[in-house]
Amino acid sequence: MPTKPSISTEAFLELTQGTAIDPLLQQLEQQTRRTFLPALAEHMGPPAKGELFRVENLTKSYGTGAAYREAVKGASFAVHQGEYVVIVGPSGSGKSTLLTLLAGLEPPSRGAVSVQGNRLDAFTEEALAWYHRSVVGLVFQNFNLLDSLSVLDNVAFPLLLSGVPAAEREARALELLDSFGLAEFAGFSPNQLSGGQQQRVAIARALVHNPLLLLVDEPTGNLDSKSAQTVTQSLAELHKRG
Ligand code: ADP
């Protein structure tokens, strides 16, 4: 039977909605718990400060009648400043959907996401555009980098959309690439980089506008174990730097 998601104070959100789990997926899940989570635990930073995000009784359903399905079912938790939240659960348990709701890319069916006390569903279109542009940063499993642009331009791209002047865009993008040890690849095309390097470029791009919340959806899902480790380490170091 479906159970409610729960969260520990160490910011560990687990989605267990009674989805039928394929044995292979179950194995992958256990692998994640064994490798990814302990690696993170080693690098965990200082305790959380003020509350930034609050999710209350969040539900997202799709379909009607026999096709009705609740992808996220009554999730409630808070995310504090400086917190590193890891969401785990079998495939289909609603992890990506939850991130989509936190990113304000889709409205919930019930419940609410609030950022510093402001409910996202009360935002005007303009405020929501600002939220996407400046408050959250998104990283996906498959990088979503543009091979027709250089690595530097990929990272700087969100600033172009915000109207930041070219010199400032490039300086900021280069600074971030440097912090991920990727400055020497600034002029390369993303497809000339390894998967782990591309994912770190994608993280740099998501950080370029200094988001309040970085949302990362299965960042190591497409990577071999060594690249996965470099990405996990980069995220942990990023969290430590604050
Ligand atoms: P996870 O990221 O944990 O693998 P998802 O959030 O992708 O899970 O999906 C949760 C459930 O919601 C799945 O059963 C999926 O098929 C369903 N779902 C997700 N998005 C949609 C959509 N746009 N339309 C219909 N069903 C969806």
Side-chain angles (χ1 to χ4, degrees):
M1 280 302 287
T3 52
K4 257 186 144 184
S6 59
I7 185 169
S8 80
T9 47
E10 285 78 35
F12 191 146
L13 177 64
E14 183 159 9
L15 298 182
T16 49
Q17 297 203 19
T19 318
I21 308 171
D22 183 289
L24 178 63
L25 291 172
Q26 199 166 17
Q27 204 181 328
L28 282 172
E29 191 57 37
Q30 283 164 1
Q31 207 174 325
T32 309
R33 285 170 191 278
R34 270 204 311 274
T35 56
F36 188 72
L37 298 175
L40 272 182
E42 265 179 42
H43 297 278
M44 278 298 185
K49 290 179 242 162
E51 181 180 307
L52 292 183
F53 289 83
R54 173 159 288 275
V55 165
E56 275 165 305
N57 201 21
L58 200 65
T59 297
K60 180 69 180 178
S61 58
Y62 294 107
T64 54
Y68 180 83
R69 171 168 197 94
E70 286 182 341
V72 173
K73 200 183 183 70
S76 295
F77 61 95
V79 180
H80 300 80
Q81 191 184 343
E83 219 166 25
Y84 197 136
V85 181
V86 179
I87 301 172
V88 295
S91 182
S93 61
K95 303 181 294 296
S96 298
T97 306
L98 179 61
L99 292 189
T100 309
L101 298 173
L102 277 174
L105 296 173
E106 282 197 61
S109 307
R110 288 194 299 282
V113 175
S114 304
V115 52
Q116 295 189 310
N118 303 291
R119 283 174 64 129
L120 279 194
D121 56 354
F123 277 20
T124 60
E125 216 170 284
E126 201 183 8
L128 206 53
W130 162 81
Y131 181 77
H132 294 147
R133 209 172 46 239
S134 309
V135 181
V136 286
L138 282 167
V139 179
F140 301 96
Q141 184 173 352
N142 56 358
F143 324 137
N144 287 343
L145 297 171
L146 300 167
D147 288 332
S148 55
L149 296 181
S150 69
V151 163
L152 184 76
D153 287 342
N154 265 281
V155 176
F157 193 63
L159 298 181
L160 174 72
L161 300 179
S162 304
V164 175
E168 202 181 320
R169 290 199 302 265
E170 288 183 11
R172 171 81 182 128
L174 201 55
E175 181 193 347
L176 272 168
L177 283 173
D178 194 32
S179 71
F180 283 105
L182 294 168
E184 63 185 291
F185 300 105
F188 285 48
S189 164
N191 59 21
Q192 293 175 290
L193 271 55
S194 72
Q197 288 168 331
Q198 288 189 54
Q199 191 56 295
R200 283 184 289 143
V201 171
I203 295 168
R205 179 184 55 187
L207 292 170
V208 78
H209 51 48
N210 275 325
L212 211 52
L213 179 69
L214 182 66
L215 295 169
V216 188
D217 195 358
E218 298 199 38
T220 59
N222 274 344
L223 302 177
D224 59 77
S225 60
K226 197 165 183 316
S227 303
Q229 207 179 350
T230 60
V231 168
T232 306
Q233 265 168 9
S234 294
L235 286 169
E237 279 162 22
L238 183 69
H239 173 248
K240 226 173 170 180
R241 285 205 301 266

